[in-house]
């Protein structure tokens, strides 16, 4: 079966005023959808047709001749994951086992926030900031363009899209304001906790 654009897990206006309906219409309906269409066109008739998204990413990661497949497959994965990490009334700090793990591995929640903000702010050009699990420890990372933790043996727990299309309609050039709002108002910590529990 061809790759599909997943439905957003909330209404297009659910994240307002922090992320507008217009941003989600373009970001999900145009950008994310284009990655799905491109990926299906690129794998049609090849040995990759019918493989899962993860299988496809791992099959072509590091293969320069398959960069188009990798970029589009990874962007499909990244966006589907990003949507789930957001929710109306989100943000603030986590609780339970996730909070304890963050305190243990970063020293404090505030230290995590500082690292995550810095990763998003210092990713030059397009890319992603991540909270990942690697060898049993939480880490903050950043990746350029479509690159993702799956290609580096890490388990993704949370991501923040810092491509301009993620925030430009709402924040213009003010990426730091988008990052602060992401953390204060939008993070779905239940999703992150479930990812940690399943890792
Ligand atoms: Mn995006």
């Amino acid at each position: 079966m061809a790759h599909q654009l997943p439905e957003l897990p909330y209404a297009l206006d659910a994240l307002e005023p922090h992320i507008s309906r217009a941003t989600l219409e373009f970001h999900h309906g145009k950008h994310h959808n284009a990655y799905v269409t491109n990926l299906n066109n690129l794998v049609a008739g090849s040995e990759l047709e019918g493989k899962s998204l993860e299988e496809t990413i791992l099959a072509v990661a590091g293969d320069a001749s398959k960069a188009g497949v990798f970029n589009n497959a990874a962007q499909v994965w990244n966006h589907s994951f990003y949507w789930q990490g957001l929710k109306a009334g989100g943000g603030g700090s986590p609780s339970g086992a996730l909070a304890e793990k963050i305190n243990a591995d970063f020293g404090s929640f505030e230290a995590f926030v500082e690292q995550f903000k810095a990763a998003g702010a210092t990713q030059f050009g397009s890319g992603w900031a991540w909270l990942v699990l690697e060898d049993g420890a939480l880490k903050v990372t950043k990746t350029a363009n479509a690159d993702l933790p799956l290609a580096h043996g890490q388990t993704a727990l949370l991501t923040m899209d810092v491509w301009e299309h993620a925030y430009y309609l709402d924040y213009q050039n003010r990426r730091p304001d988008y990052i602060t709002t992401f953390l204060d108002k939008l993070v779905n910590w239940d999703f992150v906790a479930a990812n940690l529990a399943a890792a």
Side-chain angles (χ1 to χ4, degrees):
M1 186 165 140
H3 298 285
Q4 307 278 328
L5 178 69
E7 295 282 327
L8 282 176
Y10 30 73
L12 285 166
D13 60 359
L15 305 180
E16 290 190 339
H18 311 300
I19 293 179
S20 65
R21 167 188 281 270
T23 289
L24 287 186
E25 283 174 348
F26 278 97
H27 199 179
H28 177 259
K30 304 293 185 188
H31 291 276
H32 193 178
N33 191 49
Y35 296 127
V36 174
T37 301
N38 292 343
L39 176 60
N40 283 327
N41 288 338
L42 284 166
V43 301
S46 81
E47 73 283 0
L48 295 170
E49 188 171 9
K51 290 200 183 303
S52 75
L53 201 50
E54 288 81 3
E55 288 170 340
T56 302
I57 290 166
L58 290 171
V60 301
D63 181 347
S65 73
K66 298 281 177 59
V69 174
F70 177 81
N71 286 335
N72 283 283
Q75 284 293 77
V76 172
W77 195 96
N78 292 346
H79 284 88
S80 299
F81 192 75
Y82 170 69
W83 306 131
Q84 297 178 75
L86 303 171
K87 70 170 188 177
S93 52
S95 59
L98 173 60
E100 289 169 20
K101 181 72 172 156
I102 287 174
N103 286 335
D105 291 356
F106 291 99
S108 67
F109 179 69
E110 291 70 27
F112 155 75
V113 166
E114 194 173 320
Q115 286 189 34
F116 194 81
K117 282 183 173 179
T122 62
Q123 173 51 41
F124 186 78
S126 296
W128 302 81
W130 302 87
L131 174 64
V132 304
L133 190 69
E134 181 174 39
D135 299 329
L138 297 179
K139 284 175 61 175
V140 166
T141 66
K142 58 184 178 179
T143 59
N145 300 315
D147 196 16
L148 75 176
L150 180 63
H152 302 279
Q154 302 161 334
T155 300
L157 303 181
L158 174 70
T159 194
M160 178 173 64
D161 191 344
V162 295
W163 286 56
E164 281 190 345
H165 66 226
Y167 61 86
Y168 210 85
L169 293 178
D170 298 322
Y171 299 89
Q172 293 79 48
N173 60 314
R174 292 175 284 112
R175 188 193 286 188
D177 291 354
Y178 159 72
I179 292 171
T180 297
T181 303
F182 178 93
L183 286 162
D184 290 351
K185 307 290 187 184
L186 293 170
V187 175
N188 182 350
W189 285 117
D190 293 337
F191 175 67
V192 183
N195 291 333
L196 177 62

